[in-house]
Amino acid sequence: MQRFISRFVTTPRIPKKFQEIFPKKRTINKILFQLDTRLTYREMFPIFLQVSQTTNEENVPWKKKYPYIKSSDIMQMRNVLITLRRQNKFVHKDLLAMEDKLLNIAAELCNNDAISILSFNVVHGHKRGSVEYNYQNDVETANRFIKNLYARNHHLTVKLIGDMFFENKAYDKAQKYYKEFLNLENSTKLTGEVYGKLGEIQIKHVNGFLKAEKSWLKCIELLEIERSSRWYFLLAKLYLSSEPMKARALLENCASIGFKESFKTLGFLELNYFHNHERAKEWFKIGMEIMDLECFFGFLDCCLKVKDIRGARDCLESVKKLGNNDNKKPMIDAFLESRRDSIKLLDKA
């Protein structure tokens, strides 16, 4: 088989622009290992290169040109780029365009996941009033595909229907489809996402704490932190008052990948529960770097508690400058008023 494949895998001339934007071989190989892909870097690379040079309108005989590929391989290649984007929290516009091209190619090769995603893109785009998806025939075709795939118990379609209702805040309907999905598969990455959203629905119900906790624990068991940081954070919030040690561990996981909300929450947890003022200052300082206003408040409180006069004065000056922003001024004025006595003592120090 390898000998057969090697007949079709050549090393094409690589344009300089592609070399500049495409990740290094080591980076891609690491992701291929994580995703457990069927094809190797050597087999995928010429397809990535071809896709980068192909327009959306250009009809390339993919199976003829690369007879070793399957439509599922194309979707895996798209997942490689998506994983890269999530890990880096940044993507070059050309790599983002490549994701879209790969999705279209997979649909051309009759991949049901690709057809489902594209169909939902059309429906969502039409609802948002996007000019790109303003053709009634396209919407009718998309709805027909969705209906047919759902009738065949296509797993991703069932989940995406649930997602659509979730986004529209029709939570009872969303929950119905999510439970249908869980009857179809129960230990995949998609399952992890479903458990995450189910937890968000369950926590809204009376006495939904235990159900939400169970769903979010299942979610973070199945998903890597890059895809589940929101649910790590929500689970941590459940534990803040009852099990702060668990909350701290979950929040530190969120902080490790730069989840913005985690810094102030960790800071206030260290300040108010563990009374570790220096550690709290460290978390607030990181939050200040991304201009989280509440981290400035927390940092100032820490400085006042440990009598760090210089740090408190510098922070107070920064807070007052931020008060020039009309959106932040009411919140800042309220905070300064609540700390008026401490600030007066600071002026006398």
Side-chain angles (χ1 to χ4, degrees), residues 137-343:
N137 288 342
D138 289 348
V139 177
E140 290 173 0
T141 300
N143 280 320
R144 187 169 67 252
F145 278 133
I146 292 169
K147 185 177 180 179
N148 290 340
L149 288 168
Y150 176 70
R152 292 158 57 188
N153 279 335
H154 180 246
H155 297 195
L156 180 60
T157 299
V158 176
K159 176 190 177 291
L160 291 176
I161 293 173
D163 288 346
M164 184 171 64
F165 283 120
F166 183 88
E167 289 164 15
N168 292 327
K169 299 182 179 180
Y171 296 122
D172 288 342
K173 289 184 177 180
Q175 187 168 235
K176 170 185 177 293
Y177 286 101
Y178 285 152
K179 287 182 176 178
E180 279 188 36
F181 175 84
L182 292 177
N183 287 331
L184 297 171
E185 58 182 74
N186 56 22
S187 59
T188 64
K189 303 291 187 186
L190 287 180
T191 309
E193 291 183 7
V194 167
Y195 275 119
K197 292 182 178 179
L198 259 181
E200 292 188 54
I201 296 170
Q202 291 160 341
I203 199 65
K204 298 176 189 296
H205 295 162
V206 176
N207 299 323
F209 178 101
L210 291 177
K211 287 184 178 179
E213 178 191 22
K214 185 177 178 180
S215 291
W216 285 331
L217 285 170
K218 191 69 176 175
C219 165
I220 65 176
E221 175 190 331
L222 293 169
L223 283 180
E224 60 273 20
I225 181 67
E226 289 82 6
R227 288 177 68 175
S228 57
S229 56
R230 170 176 172 77
W231 299 306
Y232 265 86
F233 180 74
L234 292 176
L235 182 58
K237 287 182 71 175
L238 282 188
Y239 291 143
L240 276 175
S241 57
S242 59
E243 300 186 71
M245 293 294 288
K246 284 185 179 180
R248 176 200 264 172
L250 289 163
L251 289 168
E252 286 177 349
N253 275 310
C254 293
S256 70
I257 62 161
F259 190 81
K260 181 179 177 180
E261 293 294 319
S262 64
F263 301 122
K264 66 182 178 188
T265 311
L266 268 169
F268 285 117
L269 183 63
E270 294 288 355
L271 173 63
N272 298 321
Y273 184 85
F274 294 108
H275 306 295
N276 188 334
H277 302 132
E278 289 303 322
R279 192 165 175 79
K281 279 176 69 177
E282 290 174 11
W283 288 120
F284 287 135
K285 192 170 183 179
I286 296 172
M288 288 164 63
E289 291 172 3
I290 56 173
M291 302 306 290
D292 187 321
L293 182 58
E294 290 180 68
C295 284
F296 283 88
F297 298 164
F299 188 84
L300 180 57
D301 280 344
C302 285
C303 289
L304 291 171
K305 284 182 180 294
V306 299
K307 295 183 171 49
D308 178 2
I309 304 302
R310 181 176 178 181
R313 283 175 175 165
D314 289 345
C315 185
L316 181 61
E317 189 64 30
S318 297
V319 168
K320 288 178 178 178
K321 287 180 181 177
L322 290 171
N324 295 328
N325 184 316
D326 291 338
N327 293 329
K328 296 177 179 178
K329 193 173 189 307
M331 191 174 176
I332 290 172
D333 288 345
F335 172 76
L336 294 178
E337 178 62 25
S338 69
R339 304 297 191 276
R340 181 174 54 182
D341 292 341
S342 297
I343 291 171

Side-chain angles (χ1 to χ4, degrees), residues 25-143:
K25 180 178 179 179
R26 180 183 298 177
T27 302
I28 296 295
N29 272 332
K30 184 178 178 181
I31 296 174
L32 296 184
F33 178 78
Q34 291 172 359
L35 298 178
D36 191 23
T37 59
R38 188 181 76 90
L39 298 186
T40 65
Y41 176 87
R42 182 169 179 267
E43 292 155 2
M44 285 185 179
F45 186 81
I47 305 174
F48 275 125
L49 182 56
Q50 174 81 55
V51 170
S52 74
Q53 298 172 321
T54 305
T55 65
N56 285 326
E57 295 76 22
E58 190 174 347
N59 188 17
V60 177
W62 295 99
K63 286 296 291 181
K64 185 176 180 180
K65 192 172 181 65
Y66 305 100
Y68 58 89
I69 66 166
K70 300 177 181 179
S71 65
S72 56
D73 296 325
I74 298 295
M75 290 299 284
Q76 283 281 46
M77 290 172 64
R78 177 174 178 264
N79 287 339
V80 169
L81 297 181
I82 290 173
T83 302
L84 181 76
R85 169 160 52 86
R86 284 173 175 156
Q87 290 179 354
N88 292 348
K89 297 184 177 57
F90 170 80
V91 65
H92 192 281
K93 64 178 182 178
D94 290 345
L95 291 180
L96 199 60
M98 201 183 299
E99 285 183 31
D100 292 336
K101 289 179 183 179
L102 288 166
L103 185 63
N104 282 299
I105 293 165
E108 288 173 19
L109 297 174
C110 300
N111 182 277
N112 283 336
D113 283 358
I115 292 169
S116 183
I117 294 169
L118 286 172
S119 297
F120 277 97
N121 285 349
V122 171
V123 172
H124 285 305
H126 180 69
K127 286 184 177 179
R128 291 194 303 267
S130 172
V131 176
E132 184 182 356
Y133 300 111
N134 201 29
Y135 300 103
Q136 192 60 36
N137 288 342
D138 289 348
V139 177
E140 290 173 0
T141 300
N143 280 320

